[in-house]
Amino acid sequence: ADQARHWQQVMTRAWDQLQHDLDRGIEPWLDPYGGTEPAEFFAVLTEAFFQTPADLKHHEPEVYAALADYFGLDFPAPTSSSAPKQWRRE
């Protein structure tokens, strides 16, 4: 029950922040389509978790942690030596 309550609090806060930014014309870091409804918000967050985990962790560390726990995954921060070649600065 505590885990579900924590999940709801984290996701509600992130949803409210996205709505706040969109309402004020602030360009969100997350795909604005996630602001259309809660189900799309979860889908866009999940996409960010798998495609740009460092960005999600930077902008929404609590959301990242909740999703890492949910999926049982935690992505290491990319470093210059472990990042794919296209991410490295040469």
Side-chain angles (χ1 to χ4, degrees):
D2 287 341
Q3 186 178 18
R5 190 172 14 265
H6 177 71
W7 174 278
Q8 183 178 16
Q9 290 170 348
V10 167
M11 294 302 171
T12 298
R13 186 198 50 73
W15 166 263
D16 289 347
Q17 182 62 52
L18 179 60
Q19 294 301 310
H20 177 270
D21 291 349
L22 291 171
D23 288 347
R24 284 159 184 71
I26 299 169
E27 181 80 24
W29 71 273
L30 188 67
D31 183 341
Y33 186 67
T36 59
E37 64 179 65
E40 294 303 336
F41 182 62
F42 180 74
V44 170
L45 285 176
T46 299
E47 182 178 307
F49 179 78
F50 286 102
Q51 292 184 350
T52 56
D55 287 344
L56 178 59
K57 195 172 200 175
H58 172 75
H59 292 283
E60 289 288 350
E62 286 186 297
V63 170
Y64 176 88
L67 290 174
D69 184 57
Y70 179 77
F71 289 114
L73 295 169
D74 189 7
F75 297 99
T79 63
S80 60
S81 61
S82 68
K85 184 173 173 108
Q86 67 269 21
W87 294 355
R88 292 186 207 148
R89 291 187 175 157
E90 305 281 332

